[in-house]
Amino acid sequence: MIDNGLATAYLARIGASRPAKADLASLAELTERHVLTVPFENLDYHLGQEIHLDERAVEKIVHQGRGGACYEVNPAFGLLLEALGFQVEILSARVHRPGGLGAPLGHLMLRVTVDGSAYLVDVGFRRNARRPLLLGTPEVQYDPQGAFAFGPERQGEFDLFLDGEPMYRVDGRARELGEFRPSLWWFRTCPDSPFMQDVFCSLPTVEGRITLKGHTLTKRVHGEFTVEHLADDTEVFEAYHKHFGMTLDRLPVEPVRPEGSTGIAVE
């Protein structure tokens, strides 16, 4: 668990007040503030930096003004929630990709129990819900990101759908963070890893989403897309600062994507 000072700084980072109690309304507010403030990004994968699953991920978010992917931001958010009195467990999932289901432990998210009801909380996916999703119900749950629904449970697993399309298959067993370290090593080092085939930084907004992939800046506002190709590195540095609040001292090295690969879809 993180200490009170770091929790206070984390709340300031996401623009949230300390909740009076650990209830569903507070969880929803904290989740939405996190999703709209902390980018989904993989810059450190291409800056030669280590990726951490523990409190160091909190420090990266809070003190460096950065974001991360699921292995960083979801455990970090879980530590904040625990410090605020919430009951938190780690879950895993297999991501639905164009070629089929990904590997077990390929995605990490949270199960948060409030007043006897369990909710799926995910602040580290390309199109995650902004608000907690009630587990154990087949009903469609409407969110600013779209219509979410859980499929039937089979052998302890169930799919999460967004607007009728499967996102990932959740394993309902609680996990330990250490179980994800081999998968993180693969994502961090293997040329086939989708995180090694693109440099991306993406953030939902109230109106849509803004994404920077390499030198290409894409904005979606109320369903309308605009694409801007940044002229040089100076404009890229400025875009990271202006749109994501990041002050970088160097840019990540853009990889050469293998033929036929799709990388990570962040729209």
Side-chain angles (χ1 to χ4, degrees), residues 131-187:
R131 298 166 186 161
L133 298 174
L134 178 64
L135 288 163
T137 175
E139 300 297 324
V140 175
Q141 302 182 56
Y142 295 97
D143 182 89
Q145 292 292 90
F148 290 85
F150 293 108
E153 182 176 333
R154 296 185 178 92
Q155 297 181 327
E157 296 185 324
F158 50 91
D159 285 319
L160 175 61
F161 294 83
L162 171 58
D163 296 332
E165 296 294 326
M167 294 174 60
Y168 48 68
R169 183 165 296 171
V170 182
D171 186 328
R173 295 173 294 174
R175 297 286 189 173
E176 298 293 333
L177 277 177
E179 296 180 68
F180 293 87
R181 296 191 187 283
S183 299
L184 174 58
W185 175 84
W186 184 88
F187 279 116

Short mmCIF file of all heavy atoms in Angstrom, two decimals, residues 131-187:
data_model
loop_
_atom_site.label_atom_id
_atom_site.label_comp_id
_atom_site.label_asym_id
_atom_site.label_seq_id
_atom_site.Cartn_x
_atom_site.Cartn_y
_atom_site.Cartn_z
N ARG A 131 -16.02 4.17 -16.37
CA ARG A 131 -16.63 3.94 -15.06
C ARG A 131 -16.60 2.45 -14.73
O ARG A 131 -16.49 1.62 -15.62
CB ARG A 131 -18.06 4.47 -15.07
CG ARG A 131 -18.13 5.97 -15.32
CD ARG A 131 -19.51 6.44 -15.66
NE ARG A 131 -19.53 7.85 -16.04
CZ ARG A 131 -20.51 8.43 -16.71
NH1 ARG A 131 -21.56 7.72 -17.10
NH2 ARG A 131 -20.44 9.71 -17.01
N PRO A 132 -16.73 2.11 -13.46
CA PRO A 132 -16.72 0.69 -13.08
C PRO A 132 -17.87 -0.05 -13.74
O PRO A 132 -18.97 0.49 -13.94
CB PRO A 132 -16.91 0.75 -11.55
CG PRO A 132 -16.48 2.12 -11.16
CD PRO A 132 -16.84 3.01 -12.30
N LEU A 133 -17.62 -1.33 -14.07
CA LEU A 133 -18.64 -2.18 -14.68
C LEU A 133 -19.03 -3.27 -13.67
O LEU A 133 -18.18 -4.00 -13.17
CB LEU A 133 -18.10 -2.83 -15.95
CG LEU A 133 -17.70 -1.88 -17.08
CD1 LEU A 133 -17.03 -2.66 -18.22
CD2 LEU A 133 -18.90 -1.10 -17.60
N LEU A 134 -20.32 -3.35 -13.39
CA LEU A 134 -20.82 -4.33 -12.43
C LEU A 134 -20.63 -5.74 -12.97
O LEU A 134 -21.07 -6.06 -14.09
CB LEU A 134 -22.30 -4.08 -12.14
CG LEU A 134 -22.99 -5.06 -11.18
CD1 LEU A 134 -22.37 -4.99 -9.78
CD2 LEU A 134 -24.49 -4.78 -11.12
N LEU A 135 -19.97 -6.58 -12.20
CA LEU A 135 -19.75 -7.96 -12.58
C LEU A 135 -20.95 -8.81 -12.20
O LEU A 135 -21.73 -8.47 -11.32
CB LEU A 135 -18.49 -8.50 -11.89
CG LEU A 135 -17.16 -7.94 -12.43
CD1 LEU A 135 -16.03 -8.21 -11.45
CD2 LEU A 135 -16.84 -8.55 -13.78
N GLY A 136 -21.11 -9.94 -12.91
CA GLY A 136 -22.16 -10.89 -12.57
C GLY A 136 -23.51 -10.57 -13.14
O GLY A 136 -24.52 -11.16 -12.72
N THR A 137 -23.57 -9.68 -14.13
CA THR A 137 -24.84 -9.36 -14.76
C THR A 137 -24.68 -9.41 -16.28
O THR A 137 -23.65 -8.98 -16.81
CB THR A 137 -25.36 -7.96 -14.36
OG1 THR A 137 -26.54 -7.66 -15.11
CG2 THR A 137 -24.31 -6.89 -14.64
N PRO A 138 -25.67 -9.94 -17.01
CA PRO A 138 -25.61 -9.95 -18.46
C PRO A 138 -26.14 -8.65 -19.08
O PRO A 138 -26.09 -8.49 -20.30
CB PRO A 138 -26.51 -11.13 -18.84
CG PRO A 138 -27.55 -11.14 -17.76
CD PRO A 138 -26.85 -10.70 -16.50
N GLU A 139 -26.65 -7.76 -18.25
CA GLU A 139 -27.26 -6.54 -18.76
C GLU A 139 -26.22 -5.63 -19.42
O GLU A 139 -25.07 -5.55 -18.98
CB GLU A 139 -27.95 -5.77 -17.63
CG GLU A 139 -29.06 -6.55 -16.94
CD GLU A 139 -30.20 -6.88 -17.89
OE1 GLU A 139 -30.50 -6.05 -18.76
OE2 GLU A 139 -30.77 -7.98 -17.75
N VAL A 140 -26.64 -4.94 -20.48
CA VAL A 140 -25.79 -3.95 -21.13
C VAL A 140 -25.57 -2.78 -20.17
O VAL A 140 -26.51 -2.30 -19.53
CB VAL A 140 -26.40 -3.46 -22.45
CG1 VAL A 140 -25.56 -2.35 -23.06
CG2 VAL A 140 -26.54 -4.62 -23.43
N GLN A 141 -24.32 -2.33 -20.07
CA GLN A 141 -23.98 -1.21 -19.19
C GLN A 141 -23.45 -0.07 -20.06
O GLN A 141 -22.44 -0.22 -20.75
CB GLN A 141 -22.94 -1.64 -18.16
CG GLN A 141 -23.42 -2.80 -17.30
CD GLN A 141 -22.43 -3.21 -16.24
OE1 GLN A 141 -21.98 -2.41 -15.41
NE2 GLN A 141 -22.06 -4.50 -16.23
N TYR A 142 -24.16 1.04 -20.04
CA TYR A 142 -23.83 2.16 -20.91
C TYR A 142 -22.83 3.09 -20.23
O TYR A 142 -22.95 3.41 -19.04
CB TYR A 142 -25.11 2.91 -21.30
CG TYR A 142 -26.03 2.07 -22.15
CD1 TYR A 142 -27.09 1.38 -21.57
CD2 TYR A 142 -25.81 1.93 -23.51
CE1 TYR A 142 -27.93 0.58 -22.33
CE2 TYR A 142 -26.65 1.12 -24.29
CZ TYR A 142 -27.70 0.46 -23.69
OH TYR A 142 -28.52 -0.34 -24.45
N ASP A 143 -21.85 3.50 -21.02
CA ASP A 143 -20.72 4.27 -20.54
C ASP A 143 -20.40 5.31 -21.62
O ASP A 143 -20.77 5.10 -22.79
CB ASP A 143 -19.52 3.32 -20.33
CG ASP A 143 -18.29 4.00 -19.79
OD1 ASP A 143 -18.15 4.09 -18.56
OD2 ASP A 143 -17.45 4.45 -20.61
N PRO A 144 -19.75 6.43 -21.30
CA PRO A 144 -19.37 7.37 -22.35
C PRO A 144 -18.54 6.75 -23.47
O PRO A 144 -18.54 7.26 -24.59
CB PRO A 144 -18.56 8.42 -21.58
CG PRO A 144 -19.13 8.39 -20.20
CD PRO A 144 -19.45 6.96 -19.95
N GLN A 145 -17.86 5.64 -23.17
CA GLN A 145 -17.06 4.97 -24.19
C GLN A 145 -17.88 4.04 -25.08
O GLN A 145 -17.39 3.57 -26.10
CB GLN A 145 -15.93 4.18 -23.54
CG GLN A 145 -14.87 5.04 -22.87
CD GLN A 145 -14.05 5.84 -23.87
OE1 GLN A 145 -14.39 6.97 -24.22
NE2 GLN A 145 -12.98 5.28 -24.35
N GLY A 146 -19.10 3.72 -24.67
CA GLY A 146 -19.92 2.82 -25.47
C GLY A 146 -20.76 1.91 -24.60
O GLY A 146 -20.90 2.12 -23.39
N ALA A 147 -21.32 0.87 -25.22
CA ALA A 147 -22.18 -0.08 -24.53
C ALA A 147 -21.37 -1.34 -24.21
O ALA A 147 -20.94 -2.06 -25.11
CB ALA A 147 -23.39 -0.43 -25.40
N PHE A 148 -21.19 -1.61 -22.92
CA PHE A 148 -20.41 -2.75 -22.47
C PHE A 148 -21.34 -3.85 -21.96
O PHE A 148 -22.39 -3.57 -21.39
CB PHE A 148 -19.46 -2.34 -21.35
CG PHE A 148 -18.33 -1.45 -21.79
CD1 PHE A 148 -18.50 -0.07 -21.88
CD2 PHE A 148 -17.09 -1.99 -22.11
CE1 PHE A 148 -17.48 0.75 -22.28
CE2 PHE A 148 -16.05 -1.17 -22.52
CZ PHE A 148 -16.24 0.20 -22.61
N ALA A 149 -20.91 -5.10 -22.16
CA ALA A 149 -21.69 -6.23 -21.67
C ALA A 149 -20.77 -7.42 -21.45
O ALA A 149 -19.80 -7.61 -22.20
CB ALA A 149 -22.81 -6.60 -22.64
N PHE A 150 -21.08 -8.22 -20.44
CA PHE A 150 -20.33 -9.44 -20.17
C PHE A 150 -21.06 -10.63 -20.76
O PHE A 150 -22.28 -10.74 -20.68
CB PHE A 150 -20.16 -9.64 -18.67
CG PHE A 150 -19.30 -8.61 -18.00
CD1 PHE A 150 -19.86 -7.65 -17.18
CD2 PHE A 150 -17.93 -8.59 -18.22
CE1 PHE A 150 -19.07 -6.70 -16.56
CE2 PHE A 150 -17.12 -7.64 -17.61
CZ PHE A 150 -17.70 -6.69 -16.78
N GLY A 151 -20.29 -11.53 -21.38
CA GLY A 151 -20.85 -12.76 -21.89
C GLY A 151 -21.00 -13.78 -20.77
O GLY A 151 -20.60 -13.56 -19.63
N PRO A 152 -21.60 -14.93 -21.08
CA PRO A 152 -21.80 -15.97 -20.07
C PRO A 152 -20.47 -16.55 -19.58
O PRO A 152 -19.49 -16.60 -20.33
CB PRO A 152 -22.63 -17.03 -20.81
CG PRO A 152 -22.35 -16.79 -22.26
CD PRO A 152 -22.13 -15.33 -22.41
N GLU A 153 -20.47 -16.97 -18.35
CA GLU A 153 -19.26 -17.54 -17.76
C GLU A 153 -19.11 -18.99 -18.18
O GLU A 153 -20.07 -19.77 -18.13
CB GLU A 153 -19.32 -17.44 -16.24
CG GLU A 153 -18.07 -17.97 -15.56
CD GLU A 153 -18.09 -17.77 -14.06
OE1 GLU A 153 -18.74 -16.82 -13.59
OE2 GLU A 153 -17.45 -18.58 -13.36
N ARG A 154 -17.90 -19.34 -18.59
CA ARG A 154 -17.57 -20.73 -18.95
C ARG A 154 -16.25 -21.09 -18.31
O ARG A 154 -15.22 -20.48 -18.63
CB ARG A 154 -17.49 -20.89 -20.47
CG ARG A 154 -18.82 -20.65 -21.21
CD ARG A 154 -18.68 -20.96 -22.68
NE ARG A 154 -19.94 -20.78 -23.40
CZ ARG A 154 -20.29 -19.64 -23.99
NH1 ARG A 154 -19.49 -18.59 -23.94
NH2 ARG A 154 -21.45 -19.55 -24.63
N GLN A 155 -16.29 -22.05 -17.40
CA GLN A 155 -15.09 -22.53 -16.70
C GLN A 155 -14.33 -21.37 -16.07
O GLN A 155 -13.10 -21.31 -16.11
CB GLN A 155 -14.19 -23.31 -17.66
CG GLN A 155 -14.85 -24.57 -18.21
CD GLN A 155 -13.94 -25.36 -19.13
OE1 GLN A 155 -13.12 -24.80 -19.85
NE2 GLN A 155 -14.08 -26.69 -19.10
N GLY A 156 -15.08 -20.47 -15.46
CA GLY A 156 -14.46 -19.36 -14.73
C GLY A 156 -14.04 -18.19 -15.58
O GLY A 156 -13.48 -17.22 -15.04
N GLU A 157 -14.29 -18.23 -16.90
CA GLU A 157 -13.92 -17.14 -17.79
C GLU A 157 -15.16 -16.55 -18.44
O GLU A 157 -16.17 -17.25 -18.63
CB GLU A 157 -12.95 -17.62 -18.87
CG GLU A 157 -11.61 -18.09 -18.35
CD GLU A 157 -10.65 -18.44 -19.48
OE1 GLU A 157 -11.13 -18.97 -20.51
OE2 GLU A 157 -9.45 -18.18 -19.34
N PHE A 158 -15.08 -15.28 -18.81
CA PHE A 158 -16.19 -14.62 -19.49
C PHE A 158 -15.65 -13.47 -20.33
O PHE A 158 -14.66 -12.83 -19.97
CB PHE A 158 -17.23 -14.11 -18.48
CG PHE A 158 -16.65 -13.31 -17.35
CD1 PHE A 158 -16.52 -11.93 -17.44
CD2 PHE A 158 -16.21 -13.94 -16.19
CE1 PHE A 158 -15.98 -11.20 -16.40
CE2 PHE A 158 -15.67 -13.21 -15.15
CZ PHE A 158 -15.55 -11.85 -15.25
N ASP A 159 -16.31 -13.22 -21.45
CA ASP A 159 -15.87 -12.16 -22.36
C ASP A 159 -16.49 -10.82 -21.97
O ASP A 159 -17.62 -10.76 -21.47
CB ASP A 159 -16.28 -12.49 -23.80
CG ASP A 159 -15.41 -13.56 -24.43
OD1 ASP A 159 -14.19 -13.52 -24.22
OD2 ASP A 159 -15.97 -14.44 -25.11
N LEU A 160 -15.73 -9.77 -22.24
CA LEU A 160 -16.26 -8.41 -22.15
C LEU A 160 -16.43 -7.88 -23.58
O LEU A 160 -15.49 -7.93 -24.37
CB LEU A 160 -15.32 -7.50 -21.37
CG LEU A 160 -15.72 -6.01 -21.31
CD1 LEU A 160 -17.08 -5.84 -20.63
CD2 LEU A 160 -14.65 -5.18 -20.62
N PHE A 161 -17.63 -7.38 -23.88
CA PHE A 161 -17.94 -6.86 -25.20
C PHE A 161 -18.12 -5.34 -25.13
O PHE A 161 -18.64 -4.81 -24.15
CB PHE A 161 -19.24 -7.47 -25.73
CG PHE A 161 -19.18 -8.95 -26.00
CD1 PHE A 161 -19.36 -9.86 -24.98
CD2 PHE A 161 -18.93 -9.42 -27.28
CE1 PHE A 161 -19.30 -11.23 -25.22
CE2 PHE A 161 -18.88 -10.79 -27.54
CZ PHE A 161 -19.06 -11.68 -26.50
N LEU A 162 -17.67 -4.67 -26.18
CA LEU A 162 -17.92 -3.24 -26.36
C LEU A 162 -18.64 -3.04 -27.68
O LEU A 162 -18.12 -3.42 -28.74
CB LEU A 162 -16.60 -2.46 -26.36
CG LEU A 162 -16.69 -0.98 -26.73
CD1 LEU A 162 -17.64 -0.23 -25.81
CD2 LEU A 162 -15.31 -0.33 -26.71
N ASP A 163 -19.84 -2.50 -27.60
CA ASP A 163 -20.67 -2.28 -28.79
C ASP A 163 -20.80 -3.57 -29.62
O ASP A 163 -20.76 -3.55 -30.85
CB ASP A 163 -20.09 -1.15 -29.65
CG ASP A 163 -20.12 0.19 -28.92
OD1 ASP A 163 -20.99 0.38 -28.06
OD2 ASP A 163 -19.25 1.04 -29.22
N GLY A 164 -20.91 -4.69 -28.91
CA GLY A 164 -21.13 -5.98 -29.56
C GLY A 164 -19.88 -6.71 -30.00
O GLY A 164 -19.96 -7.86 -30.44
N GLU A 165 -18.70 -6.07 -29.88
CA GLU A 165 -17.45 -6.70 -30.30
C GLU A 165 -16.66 -7.15 -29.07
O GLU A 165 -16.55 -6.40 -28.10
CB GLU A 165 -16.60 -5.72 -31.12
CG GLU A 165 -17.23 -5.29 -32.43
CD GLU A 165 -17.37 -6.45 -33.41
OE1 GLU A 165 -16.48 -7.34 -33.40
OE2 GLU A 165 -18.36 -6.48 -34.15
N PRO A 166 -16.11 -8.37 -29.09
CA PRO A 166 -15.37 -8.84 -27.92
C PRO A 166 -14.05 -8.09 -27.74
O PRO A 166 -13.31 -7.88 -28.70
CB PRO A 166 -15.12 -10.32 -28.23
CG PRO A 166 -15.13 -10.41 -29.73
CD PRO A 166 -16.13 -9.38 -30.18
N MET A 167 -13.79 -7.67 -26.51
CA MET A 167 -12.54 -6.98 -26.18
C MET A 167 -11.50 -7.94 -25.59
O MET A 167 -10.41 -8.06 -26.09
CB MET A 167 -12.82 -5.85 -25.19
CG MET A 167 -13.65 -4.72 -25.72
SD MET A 167 -14.06 -3.53 -24.42
CE MET A 167 -12.44 -2.97 -23.89
N TYR A 168 -11.90 -8.58 -24.50
CA TYR A 168 -10.99 -9.54 -23.88
C TYR A 168 -11.79 -10.55 -23.05
O TYR A 168 -12.95 -10.31 -22.72
CB TYR A 168 -9.90 -8.87 -23.06
CG TYR A 168 -10.31 -7.80 -22.08
CD1 TYR A 168 -11.07 -8.09 -20.94
CD2 TYR A 168 -9.89 -6.49 -22.24
CE1 TYR A 168 -11.41 -7.11 -20.03
CE2 TYR A 168 -10.21 -5.49 -21.34
CZ TYR A 168 -10.97 -5.81 -20.23
OH TYR A 168 -11.31 -4.83 -19.31
N ARG A 169 -11.15 -11.67 -22.76
CA ARG A 169 -11.76 -12.76 -21.99
C ARG A 169 -11.16 -12.76 -20.59
O ARG A 169 -9.96 -13.03 -20.40
CB ARG A 169 -11.54 -14.10 -22.67
CG ARG A 169 -12.21 -15.28 -21.96
CD ARG A 169 -12.28 -16.48 -22.86
NE ARG A 169 -13.14 -16.21 -24.02
CZ ARG A 169 -13.25 -17.02 -25.09
NH1 ARG A 169 -12.55 -18.15 -25.13
NH2 ARG A 169 -14.06 -16.70 -26.07
N VAL A 170 -11.99 -12.47 -19.62
CA VAL A 170 -11.55 -12.30 -18.23
C VAL A 170 -11.49 -13.65 -17.53
O VAL A 170 -12.41 -14.47 -17.65
CB VAL A 170 -12.50 -11.37 -17.47
CG1 VAL A 170 -12.02 -11.15 -16.03
CG2 VAL A 170 -12.65 -10.03 -18.19
N ASP A 171 -10.43 -13.89 -16.78
CA ASP A 171 -10.33 -15.02 -15.87
C ASP A 171 -10.72 -14.51 -14.49
O ASP A 171 -10.11 -13.58 -13.97
CB ASP A 171 -8.88 -15.55 -15.86
CG ASP A 171 -8.72 -16.81 -15.05
OD1 ASP A 171 -9.44 -16.99 -14.05
OD2 ASP A 171 -7.85 -17.63 -15.40
N GLY A 172 -11.74 -15.10 -13.89
CA GLY A 172 -12.28 -14.59 -12.64
C GLY A 172 -11.45 -14.89 -11.40
O GLY A 172 -11.80 -14.43 -10.32
N ARG A 173 -10.34 -15.61 -11.55
CA ARG A 173 -9.50 -15.91 -10.39
C ARG A 173 -8.64 -14.71 -10.01
O ARG A 173 -8.04 -14.08 -10.88
CB ARG A 173 -8.60 -17.11 -10.67
CG ARG A 173 -9.32 -18.42 -10.89
CD ARG A 173 -8.36 -19.50 -11.33
NE ARG A 173 -7.80 -19.23 -12.65
CZ ARG A 173 -6.84 -19.96 -13.22
NH1 ARG A 173 -6.32 -20.98 -12.56
NH2 ARG A 173 -6.40 -19.67 -14.43
N ALA A 174 -8.53 -14.44 -8.72
CA ALA A 174 -7.64 -13.38 -8.25
C ALA A 174 -6.19 -13.79 -8.51
O ALA A 174 -5.83 -14.97 -8.35
CB ALA A 174 -7.87 -13.10 -6.77
N ARG A 175 -5.37 -12.83 -8.91
CA ARG A 175 -3.98 -13.09 -9.26
C ARG A 175 -3.03 -12.29 -8.35
O ARG A 175 -3.42 -11.30 -7.73
CB ARG A 175 -3.72 -12.67 -10.71
CG ARG A 175 -4.51 -13.45 -11.73
CD ARG A 175 -3.99 -14.86 -11.91
NE ARG A 175 -4.61 -15.53 -13.05
CZ ARG A 175 -4.23 -16.73 -13.50
NH1 ARG A 175 -3.23 -17.36 -12.92
NH2 ARG A 175 -4.86 -17.28 -14.52
N GLU A 176 -1.77 -12.72 -8.34
CA GLU A 176 -0.70 -11.97 -7.70
C GLU A 176 0.11 -11.26 -8.78
O GLU A 176 0.26 -11.76 -9.90
CB GLU A 176 0.22 -12.91 -6.91
CG GLU A 176 -0.47 -13.65 -5.78
CD GLU A 176 -0.92 -12.73 -4.65
OE1 GLU A 176 -0.28 -11.67 -4.48
OE2 GLU A 176 -1.90 -13.07 -3.97
N LEU A 177 0.64 -10.07 -8.45
CA LEU A 177 1.37 -9.30 -9.45
C LEU A 177 2.56 -10.08 -10.02
O LEU A 177 2.87 -9.97 -11.21
CB LEU A 177 1.87 -7.99 -8.84
CG LEU A 177 0.87 -6.84 -8.79
CD1 LEU A 177 1.50 -5.63 -8.09
CD2 LEU A 177 0.42 -6.45 -10.19
N GLY A 178 3.21 -10.86 -9.18
CA GLY A 178 4.38 -11.60 -9.65
C GLY A 178 4.07 -12.56 -10.79
O GLY A 178 4.97 -12.89 -11.58
N GLU A 179 2.82 -13.00 -10.90
CA GLU A 179 2.45 -13.91 -11.97
C GLU A 179 2.58 -13.26 -13.35
O GLU A 179 2.69 -13.95 -14.36
CB GLU A 179 1.02 -14.41 -11.77
CG GLU A 179 0.80 -15.23 -10.51
CD GLU A 179 -0.64 -15.69 -10.39
OE1 GLU A 179 -1.07 -16.52 -11.21
OE2 GLU A 179 -1.35 -15.21 -9.47
N PHE A 180 2.56 -11.93 -13.41
CA PHE A 180 2.58 -11.22 -14.68
C PHE A 180 4.01 -10.91 -15.16
O PHE A 180 4.18 -10.41 -16.28
CB PHE A 180 1.79 -9.91 -14.58
CG PHE A 180 0.31 -10.11 -14.39
CD1 PHE A 180 -0.22 -10.27 -13.12
CD2 PHE A 180 -0.55 -10.14 -15.48
CE1 PHE A 180 -1.59 -10.46 -12.93
CE2 PHE A 180 -1.92 -10.33 -15.30
CZ PHE A 180 -2.42 -10.49 -14.02
N ARG A 181 5.01 -11.17 -14.34
CA ARG A 181 6.35 -10.77 -14.72
C ARG A 181 6.87 -11.48 -15.98
O ARG A 181 7.50 -10.84 -16.83
CB ARG A 181 7.32 -10.97 -13.55
CG ARG A 181 6.97 -10.08 -12.36
CD ARG A 181 8.05 -10.05 -11.29
NE ARG A 181 7.58 -9.32 -10.12
CZ ARG A 181 7.52 -8.00 -10.01
NH1 ARG A 181 7.92 -7.26 -11.03
NH2 ARG A 181 7.08 -7.43 -8.91
N PRO A 182 6.63 -12.79 -16.16
CA PRO A 182 7.07 -13.40 -17.43
C PRO A 182 6.38 -12.78 -18.65
O PRO A 182 7.03 -12.58 -19.69
CB PRO A 182 6.69 -14.87 -17.25
CG PRO A 182 6.68 -15.09 -15.78
CD PRO A 182 6.14 -13.81 -15.21
N SER A 183 5.08 -12.48 -18.54
CA SER A 183 4.38 -11.86 -19.66
C SER A 183 4.92 -10.47 -19.93
O SER A 183 5.09 -10.06 -21.09
CB SER A 183 2.88 -11.78 -19.37
OG SER A 183 2.33 -13.06 -19.19
N LEU A 184 5.20 -9.71 -18.88
CA LEU A 184 5.78 -8.38 -19.05
C LEU A 184 7.12 -8.47 -19.76
O LEU A 184 7.42 -7.67 -20.65
CB LEU A 184 5.94 -7.70 -17.69
CG LEU A 184 6.66 -6.36 -17.69
CD1 LEU A 184 5.98 -5.34 -18.59
CD2 LEU A 184 6.79 -5.81 -16.27
N TRP A 185 7.94 -9.45 -19.36
CA TRP A 185 9.24 -9.62 -20.03
C TRP A 185 9.04 -9.86 -21.52
O TRP A 185 9.75 -9.30 -22.35
CB TRP A 185 9.99 -10.79 -19.38
CG TRP A 185 11.29 -11.10 -20.08
CD1 TRP A 185 12.50 -10.51 -19.89
CD2 TRP A 185 11.49 -12.08 -21.11
NE1 TRP A 185 13.44 -11.04 -20.74
CE2 TRP A 185 12.85 -12.01 -21.49
CE3 TRP A 185 10.65 -13.01 -21.74
CZ2 TRP A 185 13.39 -12.85 -22.47
CZ3 TRP A 185 11.20 -13.83 -22.71
CH2 TRP A 185 12.54 -13.76 -23.07
N TRP A 186 8.05 -10.70 -21.88
CA TRP A 186 7.80 -10.97 -23.31
C TRP A 186 7.35 -9.70 -24.02
O TRP A 186 7.87 -9.36 -25.08
CB TRP A 186 6.73 -12.06 -23.45
CG TRP A 186 6.50 -12.45 -24.88
CD1 TRP A 186 7.17 -13.40 -25.59
CD2 TRP A 186 5.53 -11.87 -25.78
NE1 TRP A 186 6.68 -13.46 -26.88
CE2 TRP A 186 5.68 -12.53 -27.02
CE3 TRP A 186 4.58 -10.88 -25.66
CZ2 TRP A 186 4.90 -12.21 -28.13
CZ3 TRP A 186 3.79 -10.56 -26.76
CH2 TRP A 186 3.96 -11.23 -27.99
N PHE A 187 6.38 -8.99 -23.46
CA PHE A 187 5.91 -7.76 -24.08
C PHE A 187 7.04 -6.74 -24.22
O PHE A 187 7.08 -5.97 -25.18
CB PHE A 187 4.78 -7.14 -23.26
CG PHE A 187 3.43 -7.74 -23.51
CD1 PHE A 187 2.75 -8.41 -22.51
CD2 PHE A 187 2.83 -7.66 -24.76
CE1 PHE A 187 1.50 -8.96 -22.73
CE2 PHE A 187 1.58 -8.21 -25.00
CZ PHE A 187 0.91 -8.87 -23.98
#
